[in-house]
Amino acid sequence: MFIVGLTGGIGCGKSAVTDCFAALGVPVIDADVVAREVVEPGQPALREIVEQFGPEVLRADGSLDRVLLREHIFTHPDAKTQLEGILHPRIRAEMRRRLGAFNTPYAIFSIPLLFETGQDRSVDRILVVDCPPELQISRVTRRDHTSEAQTKSIIAAQIERTSRLARADDIIDNSGSLNDLRPIVEQLHQKYLKLAS
């Protein structure tokens, strides 16, 4: 199946775009959703995380304490590589497994860290959702109730905007409204149907 890898900086509106594609009947497999599911209680990945980082990464109910783990990773750079070694192969395998359930001309893999994780090599086309940095910052601070400084540090941890745009096959400027977005997605949908056939 033809796979479009969709990515973009935090706050650029990737979810709004994938919602538009989904409304057109296009399967969307979201790496963030899969990442949350592979660490649910009882999953092998959670057991491995506990073995690697200790039982203190669990909440009282046995679920993963994401905040604590995130803080640990920020203060121990090698821990990030260890965690990615546990999660990334499982996330990739599960996304591929889900793809097998669909019989459509193409599907979308929504992967925020598409380039950072090297998954750009496993898709047929790259769609980048973009907006001006000022808009990105205001959207994230409003949505996530974070400070401007926190938001800027999250943006800084992602691949640089110019580099992301340079590696795109298609770009959606998502600085307008949802009404502006729908016809752009519809046009790309027609293009992807042609490419997939």
Side-chain angles (χ1 to χ4, degrees):
M1 193 190 291
F2 191 82
I3 300 170
V4 177
L6 181 145
T7 193
I10 188 171
C12 286
K14 295 181 294 295
S15 296
V17 173
T18 56
D19 287 349
C20 289
F21 276 106
L24 295 168
V26 180
V28 175
I29 302 169
D30 189 324
D32 280 349
V33 171
V34 174
R36 283 192 291 276
E37 290 172 1
V38 298
V39 294
E40 283 175 356
Q43 292 295 321
L46 185 61
R47 279 197 297 278
E48 232 179 286
I49 290 168
V50 173
E51 284 167 21
Q52 186 69 53
F53 301 104
E56 57 273 12
V57 297
L58 291 179
R59 290 198 184 106
D61 65 359
S63 65
L64 184 64
D65 188 333
R66 293 172 190 286
V67 177
L68 195 135
L69 188 59
R70 196 177 301 124
E71 285 167 6
H72 179 77
I73 286 164
F74 274 123
T75 53
H76 302 81
D78 54 331
K80 184 176 187 274
T81 311
Q82 292 168 334
L83 183 64
E84 287 171 352
I86 295 167
L87 294 179
H88 289 178
R90 286 183 168 96
I91 294 166
R92 286 189 185 123
E94 180 57 22
M95 288 178 79
R96 287 279 163 192
R97 189 192 69 73
R98 289 183 187 191
L99 188 64
F102 299 106
N103 185 19
T104 51
Y106 77 98
I108 289 179
F109 276 4
S110 178
I111 308 172
L113 302 176
L114 182 78
F115 299 115
E116 295 89 334
T117 58
Q119 291 187 81
D120 54 313
R121 295 185 296 273
S122 66
V123 297
D124 300 298
R125 198 157 179 92
I126 295 166
L127 170 59
V128 170
V129 182
D130 186 58
C131 72
E134 317 75 61
L135 181 57
Q136 210 182 344
I137 292 163
S138 75
R139 281 176 178 170
V140 176
T141 51
R142 202 171 49 241
R143 181 192 72 193
D144 299 346
H145 310 291
T146 55
S147 68
E148 194 172 311
Q150 279 175 303
T151 303
K152 283 179 177 174
S153 74
I154 295 166
I155 292 168
Q158 294 184 320
I159 191 170
E160 193 182 14
R161 181 183 184 215
T162 51
S163 175
R164 187 188 297 119
L165 292 170
R167 292 164 76 179
D169 295 304
D170 303 296
I171 298 166
I172 289 180
D173 176 359
N174 190 19
S175 43
S177 70
L178 201 52
N179 288 335
D180 298 327
L181 189 60
R182 286 188 189 107
I184 298 167
V185 171
E186 176 63 53
Q187 206 173 357
L188 280 171
H189 175 56
Q190 295 307 321
K191 180 181 188 174
Y192 296 153
L193 287 172
K194 282 195 188 83
L195 287 168
S197 64

